[in-house]
Amino acid sequence: LPDSPTAWSARLTVPAAAALSFEAVFAGLTDVVSLYEVEETADGVSLTWCVEGLFAAAPPRAEIAARAALAAGAAGIPEPPLAFERVPAKDWLTASVAAFPPLAAGRFYIHGDHVPGPYPAGKLHLRVNAATAFGSGEHASTYGCLLALDRLARRAAVRRGLARAGTPAALDMGCGSGILALAMAKAWRRPVLAADIDPEAVRVAHANARANGVAALVRPVLSDGIGDAALRRGAPYAVIAANILARPLRAMSRGLAGLLAPGGALILAGLLQRQEAMVLTAYRAQGLWLHARILRRPWAILVLRRAAFDRTAALP
Ligand SMILES: C[S@@+](CC[C@H](N)C(=O)[O-])C[C@H]1O[C@@H](n2cnc3c(N)ncnc32)[C@H](O)[C@@H]1O
């Protein structure tokens, strides 16, 4: 739970018919988003809805405003009023902890502290609480990434690549709670670098690495994309997971592809099915090819690979 007695709320007031298209404004920024009616006609027809995100720390105002403007443009309506205010922290995070049931994703079993053991044998346990950083497994794109990691873990070529790679061997870009870094560290027992632009995510990822007994394997760092030198020093990585959003993923295509080892695998998530082509085109231009695709509607999770040897390097 946040130390401060207050939380932050960011509220968009939108026409009822457009409310759903504004939910994505908070995707990846907070797990706690609610939609509710604020105004109706005398005969009960919905007029105005509120789409509200709750944050344990000051929310990224400029990013929320920019995303809201994009959503308004896409819905063909004027930019909606956006209000930020401090609210009593109350029980919203506790409520979301209680609402988070344990989850199985392939070889991984994800549970919060509120779930009493014993936990299923033969699974890799990830202990992650709903908290101030995104990623407790229940979001479809995180879940899809865990399934993709589970499938990659079955492939001998991937295991060989990880064994050959330097230290760290894998990268979790946009780590949030660190859930994917924990999964990689537990599946492969190889060092993983976990990067996030949000200092709170880096703090939570540290705490989760300790709570899961993999602090020696998972190293969280603060980085905007591949900006921090630690990311480039650690390259190339045999596996990279990046669950962010379609546009930042597209913008990072050159940087991320450049960090991937020959024969390496790159998991991309946080994109909607209709954004797949946009993201894929950018990564194909970097020489990667589509290896697998997991759909958790409306989300798509892509697994891309790089050829095991660089043909251009072999040319005279
Ligand atoms: C959707 S969450 C994913 C969290 C976790 N990896 C999971 O799979 O559940 C996206 C994360 O990416 C981070 N992020 C967004 N833009 C970023 C950037 N440019 N560089 C690094 N991290 C970024 C956010 O702070 C957030 O923690």
Side-chain angles (χ1 to χ4, degrees), residues 160-178:
R160 279 197 302 274
L162 281 153
R164 262 199 315 268
T167 296
L171 171 67
D172 177 1
M173 167 61 76
C175 64
S177 67

Side-chain angles (χ1 to χ4, degrees), residues 45-144:
V45 177
S46 241
L47 288 177
T48 315
W49 278 58
C50 191
V51 183
E52 179 176 36
L54 280 168
F55 297 79
R61 291 174 183 236
E63 177 162 12
I64 292 170
R67 289 189 189 189
L70 274 178
I77 59 170
E79 279 180 42
L82 173 57
F84 295 94
E85 67 169 354
R86 272 179 177 267
V87 293
K90 287 194 296 188
D91 263 341
W92 59 269
L93 213 40
T94 322
S96 105
V97 168
F100 162 41
L103 205 69
R107 73 196 54 208
F108 305 110
Y109 177 80
I110 308 103
H111 66 86
D113 287 336
H114 61 293
V115 177
Y119 306 121
K123 295 262 182 198
L124 295 174
H125 300 159
L126 307 178
R127 182 176 150 200
V128 184
N129 290 305
T132 45
F134 186 104
S136 48
E138 85 278 26
H139 190 279
S141 68
T142 310
Y143 189 80

Side-chain angles (χ1 to χ4, degrees), residues 2-312:
D3 296 326
S4 82
T6 56
W8 284 84
S9 128
R11 251 196 328 267
L12 285 157
T13 308
V14 300
L20 276 180
S21 32
F22 283 87
E23 207 180 355
V25 165
F26 298 109
L29 300 178
T30 171
D31 276 353
V32 190
V33 181
S34 44
L35 286 85
Y36 51 90
E37 189 182 64
V38 285
E39 191 190 1
E40 59 172 23
T41 60
D43 36 338
V45 177
S46 241
L47 288 177
T48 315
W49 278 58
C50 191
V51 183
E52 179 176 36
L54 280 168
F55 297 79
R61 291 174 183 236
E63 177 162 12
I64 292 170
R67 289 189 189 189
L70 274 178
I77 59 170
E79 279 180 42
L82 173 57
F84 295 94
E85 67 169 354
R86 272 179 177 267
V87 293
K90 287 194 296 188
D91 263 341
W92 59 269
L93 213 40
T94 322
S96 105
V97 168
F100 162 41
L103 205 69
R107 73 196 54 208
F108 305 110
Y109 177 80
I110 308 103
H111 66 86
D113 287 336
H114 61 293
V115 177
Y119 306 121
K123 295 262 182 198
L124 295 174
H125 300 159
L126 307 178
R127 182 176 150 200
V128 184
N129 290 305
T132 45
F134 186 104
S136 48
E138 85 278 26
H139 190 279
S141 68
T142 310
Y143 189 80
C145 287
L146 290 168
L147 291 181
L149 286 173
D150 178 59
R151 289 181 194 175
L152 286 177
R154 284 189 221 144
R155 299 187 75 89
V158 173
R159 287 198 300 274
R160 279 197 302 274
L162 281 153
R164 262 199 315 268
T167 296
L171 171 67
D172 177 1
M173 167 61 76
C175 64
S177 67
I179 186 168
L180 303 180
L182 303 177
M184 291 194 271
K186 290 207 171 187
W188 291 306
R189 306 306 304 178
R190 295 282 291 131
V192 182
L193 194 64
D196 205 289
I197 195 172
D198 174 5
E200 179 62 8
V202 174
R203 186 190 70 76
V204 172
H206 262 296
N208 282 334
R210 276 196 303 275
N212 281 272
V214 287
L217 290 176
V218 173
R219 182 180 162 218
V221 295
L222 187 66
S223 180
D224 179 356
I226 68 158
D228 190 89
L231 273 77
R232 295 188 298 278
R233 272 200 307 272
Y237 303 95
V239 177
I240 301 177
N243 178 12
I244 309 186
L245 283 171
R247 281 181 185 79
L249 285 177
R250 184 180 57 175
M252 284 179 202
S253 58
R254 186 152 185 212
L256 275 186
L259 299 184
L260 190 65
L266 170 63
I267 300 172
L268 297 178
L271 50 130
L272 297 165
Q273 267 173 272
R274 60 181 163 75
Q275 298 171 316
E276 260 181 78
M278 168 183 105
V279 174
L280 259 181
T281 308
Y283 283 82
R284 281 195 175 122
Q286 301 301 324
L288 305 192
W289 46 273
L290 185 64
H291 166 75
R293 177 169 171 267
I294 294 173
L295 289 183
R296 307 283 301 177
R297 285 176 206 287
W299 302 92
I301 295 90
L302 308 177
V303 184
L304 308 177
R305 300 290 300 269
R306 175 184 286 298
F309 60 93
D310 185 349
R311 288 164 207 276
T312 52

